Amino acid sequence: VRNRNRNCKRRGFFWNGKEWSVSLYHAPHRKYLNLSAIAEKYGGGGHKNAAGFKLKSNQKITWKTLD
C-alpha cells in the first residue's frame, strides 16, 4: 500500500478521509512471519516481507502484539 501524500515518509498507517491504508513491514527479528497472509485476511496482498491492505472507517480488526 503506497502512501499517497508525497510529503510524508513511509508509515504503517495512513488515513485519507475515507479509509485507512495499512502497510506491514518486517522487523529484522520477525522474518518468520508471512505478512502477505495477514494482508490477504483483510483483502490486501503483497509479499512475505512487506504487504498492505485498506480498512474502511467502520471496519473492525483485531490486533495482536508480538513480544
Side-chain angles (χ1 to χ4, degrees):
V1 176
R2 289 186 183 169
N3 188 331
R4 303 281 187 243
N5 185 342
R6 293 177 190 206
N7 296 323
C8 285
K9 293 180 180 178
R10 187 163 53 176
R11 299 179 187 197
F13 301 93
F14 178 74
W15 174 252
N16 70 6
K18 294 183 179 181
E19 63 186 3
W20 287 98
S21 292
V22 181
S23 298
L24 305 173
Y25 302 96
H26 268 300
H29 63 289
R30 301 269 188 232
K31 295 280 185 187
Y32 59 88
L33 293 173
N34 183 347
L35 298 179
S36 66
I38 296 169
E40 286 174 6
K41 181 176 179 180
Y42 299 101
H47 305 277
K48 181 181 183 236
N49 297 320
F53 57 95
K54 294 187 181 218
L55 293 172
K56 302 289 183 196
S57 63
N58 62 349
Q59 189 175 350
K60 304 241 188 241
I61 187 169
T62 303
W63 295 102
K64 179 179 178 183
T65 303
L66 300 173
D67 295 323

